[in-house]
Amino acid sequence: MIYLDEILVLNFTADYLLLLTTARALGEPLRRKHFAFASVLGSAYAAAAAMPVLGWFSAWWMKLISSLVMVRLAFGRSERILRQWLLFLLVSSGFAGVEMALFGFTAVRFPLLLFAGTFLTCYLLLGVSFRGSGRAAVRGLLLPVTVEQGGKQV
């Protein structure tokens, strides 16, 4: 059995760190209040999806809609919304993979501090890996590349 307060706290923590990681990787400004608001919405969605009466909230298309709304709230109006959303989904999948690798597919309950510690460790590792790459793209320091093969150009 899992309690509602655990769902809210775990999901708020995870959503906030996922949004923060996405912003850092993209070189976006860190709008922490917006990230917190979007994380509250994400944790409320997770709590609703866990309720049997609202089981349709856990459908794949509802998860996509929820994540898109969270990204929109976190980053505001942007012509880069698709890029932000796709990277958020990629980062979320990566963190989920690490959690599964560490805790497996068991129903064993793990403490909030262990969960948060794992997320923070991954966040720090990603921060070191992507340090400055997002800012470089935003400032235009990266060069455009065109690849051509067999008459097709990308």
Tab-separated table of all heavy atoms in Angstrom, residues 2-5 7-8 11 43-59:
chain	number	residue	atom	x	y	z
A	2	ILE	N	0.495	2.218	-0.776
A	2	ILE	CA	1.225	3.482	-0.807
A	2	ILE	C	0.274	4.595	-0.383
A	2	ILE	O	-0.917	4.560	-0.693
A	2	ILE	CB	1.830	3.751	-2.199
A	2	ILE	CG1	2.741	4.955	-2.153
A	2	ILE	CG2	0.768	3.896	-3.246
A	2	ILE	CD1	3.705	5.037	-3.299
A	3	TYR	N	0.798	5.549	0.342
A	3	TYR	CA	-0.021	6.618	0.883
A	3	TYR	C	0.010	7.829	-0.030
A	3	TYR	O	0.992	8.076	-0.741
A	3	TYR	CB	0.461	6.995	2.279
A	3	TYR	CG	0.305	5.854	3.258
A	3	TYR	CD1	1.403	5.086	3.634
A	3	TYR	CD2	-0.945	5.541	3.779
A	3	TYR	CE1	1.264	4.029	4.513
A	3	TYR	CE2	-1.095	4.485	4.668
A	3	TYR	CZ	0.010	3.744	5.030
A	3	TYR	OH	-0.132	2.692	5.899
A	4	LEU	N	-1.060	8.605	-0.002
A	4	LEU	CA	-1.206	9.773	-0.858
A	4	LEU	C	-0.085	10.781	-0.631
A	4	LEU	O	0.458	11.344	-1.591
A	4	LEU	CB	-2.575	10.433	-0.624
A	4	LEU	CG	-2.905	11.620	-1.512
A	4	LEU	CD1	-2.920	11.218	-2.975
A	4	LEU	CD2	-4.240	12.218	-1.111
A	5	ASP	N	0.307	11.006	0.623
A	5	ASP	CA	1.367	11.975	0.888
A	5	ASP	C	2.698	11.526	0.280
A	5	ASP	O	3.479	12.355	-0.197
A	5	ASP	CB	1.505	12.258	2.383
A	5	ASP	CG	1.838	11.016	3.208
A	5	ASP	OD1	1.587	9.892	2.735
A	5	ASP	OD2	2.336	11.178	4.337
A	7	ILE	N	3.010	9.733	-2.506
A	7	ILE	CA	2.880	9.992	-3.946
A	7	ILE	C	3.155	11.456	-4.231
A	7	ILE	O	3.907	11.796	-5.155
A	7	ILE	CB	1.474	9.591	-4.451
A	7	ILE	CG1	1.299	8.082	-4.387
A	7	ILE	CG2	1.244	10.100	-5.874
A	7	ILE	CD1	-0.100	7.605	-4.711
A	8	LEU	N	2.559	12.331	-3.439
A	8	LEU	CA	2.721	13.768	-3.676
A	8	LEU	C	4.170	14.214	-3.492
A	8	LEU	O	4.724	14.929	-4.333
A	8	LEU	CB	1.793	14.561	-2.749
A	8	LEU	CG	0.295	14.405	-3.034
A	8	LEU	CD1	-0.528	15.042	-1.914
A	8	LEU	CD2	-0.071	15.002	-4.379
A	11	ASN	N	6.604	12.464	-6.201
A	11	ASN	CA	6.411	12.997	-7.538
A	11	ASN	C	6.795	14.461	-7.643
A	11	ASN	O	7.340	14.888	-8.662
A	11	ASN	CB	4.976	12.769	-8.011
A	11	ASN	CG	4.800	11.373	-8.522
A	11	ASN	OD1	5.188	11.065	-9.641
A	11	ASN	ND2	4.254	10.507	-7.695
A	43	SER	N	2.556	16.359	-9.517
A	43	SER	CA	2.314	15.459	-8.383
A	43	SER	C	0.808	15.283	-8.133
A	43	SER	O	0.369	14.195	-7.758
A	43	SER	CB	3.032	15.945	-7.122
A	43	SER	OG	2.552	17.201	-6.723
A	44	ALA	N	0.030	16.320	-8.378
A	44	ALA	CA	-1.430	16.192	-8.257
A	44	ALA	C	-1.961	15.233	-9.321
A	44	ALA	O	-2.839	14.402	-9.046
A	44	ALA	CB	-2.096	17.557	-8.397
A	45	TYR	N	-1.411	15.324	-10.523
A	45	TYR	CA	-1.798	14.389	-11.590
A	45	TYR	C	-1.452	12.946	-11.186
A	45	TYR	O	-2.258	12.037	-11.369
A	45	TYR	CB	-1.103	14.749	-12.906
A	45	TYR	CG	-1.170	13.632	-13.903
A	45	TYR	CD1	-2.332	13.383	-14.620
A	45	TYR	CD2	-0.083	12.781	-14.086
A	45	TYR	CE1	-2.415	12.321	-15.501
A	45	TYR	CE2	-0.154	11.726	-14.965
A	45	TYR	CZ	-1.316	11.496	-15.678
A	45	TYR	OH	-1.385	10.449	-16.538
A	46	ALA	N	-0.252	12.739	-10.645
A	46	ALA	CA	0.164	11.391	-10.236
A	46	ALA	C	-0.754	10.844	-9.148
A	46	ALA	O	-1.103	9.656	-9.160
A	46	ALA	CB	1.614	11.412	-9.752
A	47	ALA	N	-1.147	11.700	-8.215
A	47	ALA	CA	-2.057	11.260	-7.149
A	47	ALA	C	-3.414	10.882	-7.736
A	47	ALA	O	-4.006	9.869	-7.350
A	47	ALA	CB	-2.201	12.365	-6.109
A	48	ALA	N	-3.897	11.675	-8.684
A	48	ALA	CA	-5.182	11.369	-9.319
A	48	ALA	C	-5.093	10.062	-10.111
A	48	ALA	O	-6.015	9.252	-10.090
A	48	ALA	CB	-5.598	12.519	-10.234
A	49	ALA	N	-3.974	9.849	-10.799
A	49	ALA	CA	-3.801	8.630	-11.599
A	49	ALA	C	-3.731	7.384	-10.722
A	49	ALA	O	-4.046	6.284	-11.184
A	49	ALA	CB	-2.546	8.745	-12.457
A	50	ALA	N	-3.327	7.533	-9.470
A	50	ALA	CA	-3.215	6.389	-8.558
A	50	ALA	C	-4.565	5.986	-7.960
A	50	ALA	O	-4.684	4.914	-7.386
A	50	ALA	CB	-2.232	6.709	-7.440
A	51	MET	N	-5.562	6.842	-8.115
A	51	MET	CA	-6.884	6.539	-7.555
A	51	MET	C	-7.661	5.654	-8.525
A	51	MET	O	-7.763	5.965	-9.709
A	51	MET	CB	-7.653	7.822	-7.294
A	51	MET	CG	-7.022	8.678	-6.234
A	51	MET	SD	-8.002	10.146	-5.950
A	51	MET	CE	-6.913	11.043	-4.877
A	52	PRO	N	-8.216	4.563	-8.030
A	52	PRO	CA	-8.943	3.637	-8.914
A	52	PRO	C	-10.090	4.295	-9.680
A	52	PRO	O	-10.343	3.954	-10.827
A	52	PRO	CB	-9.467	2.567	-7.955
A	52	PRO	CG	-8.579	2.645	-6.766
A	52	PRO	CD	-8.132	4.072	-6.660
A	53	VAL	N	-10.755	5.249	-9.065
A	53	VAL	CA	-11.882	5.920	-9.715
A	53	VAL	C	-11.421	6.706	-10.946
A	53	VAL	O	-12.157	6.846	-11.915
A	53	VAL	CB	-12.576	6.872	-8.704
A	53	VAL	CG1	-13.662	7.684	-9.368
A	53	VAL	CG2	-13.131	6.082	-7.544
A	54	LEU	N	-10.215	7.213	-10.903
A	54	LEU	CA	-9.669	8.009	-12.008
A	54	LEU	C	-8.605	7.223	-12.779
A	54	LEU	O	-7.610	7.779	-13.226
A	54	LEU	CB	-9.072	9.315	-11.466
A	54	LEU	CG	-10.048	10.225	-10.723
A	54	LEU	CD1	-9.317	11.383	-10.068
A	54	LEU	CD2	-11.117	10.738	-11.664
A	55	GLY	N	-8.827	5.952	-12.948
A	55	GLY	CA	-7.862	5.083	-13.605
A	55	GLY	C	-7.487	5.524	-15.006
A	55	GLY	O	-6.369	5.293	-15.466
A	56	TRP	N	-8.404	6.185	-15.710
A	56	TRP	CA	-8.108	6.639	-17.070
A	56	TRP	C	-7.014	7.705	-17.088
A	56	TRP	O	-6.418	7.961	-18.134
A	56	TRP	CB	-9.372	7.128	-17.769
A	56	TRP	CG	-10.065	8.253	-17.057
A	56	TRP	CD1	-10.968	8.144	-16.042
A	56	TRP	CD2	-9.903	9.639	-17.314
A	56	TRP	NE1	-11.373	9.394	-15.648
A	56	TRP	CE2	-10.745	10.336	-16.415
A	56	TRP	CE3	-9.140	10.369	-18.201
A	56	TRP	CZ2	-10.832	11.717	-16.393
A	56	TRP	CZ3	-9.233	11.747	-18.186
A	56	TRP	CH2	-10.066	12.412	-17.283
A	57	PHE	N	-6.715	8.303	-15.947
A	57	PHE	CA	-5.613	9.268	-15.864
A	57	PHE	C	-4.264	8.595	-16.141
A	57	PHE	O	-3.321	9.263	-16.511
A	57	PHE	CB	-5.564	9.920	-14.477
A	57	PHE	CG	-6.295	11.223	-14.398
A	57	PHE	CD1	-7.614	11.331	-14.772
A	57	PHE	CD2	-5.645	12.356	-13.938
A	57	PHE	CE1	-8.282	12.534	-14.699
A	57	PHE	CE2	-6.298	13.572	-13.858
A	57	PHE	CZ	-7.629	13.659	-14.242
A	58	SER	N	-4.188	7.297	-15.941
A	58	SER	CA	-2.912	6.612	-16.149
A	58	SER	C	-2.740	6.127	-17.593
A	58	SER	O	-1.756	5.452	-17.895
A	58	SER	CB	-2.757	5.449	-15.175
A	58	SER	OG	-3.791	4.511	-15.382
A	59	ALA	N	-3.640	6.477	-18.477
A	59	ALA	CA	-3.499	6.134	-19.897
A	59	ALA	C	-2.289	6.863	-20.478
A	59	ALA	O	-1.945	7.976	-20.038
A	59	ALA	CB	-4.760	6.511	-20.662
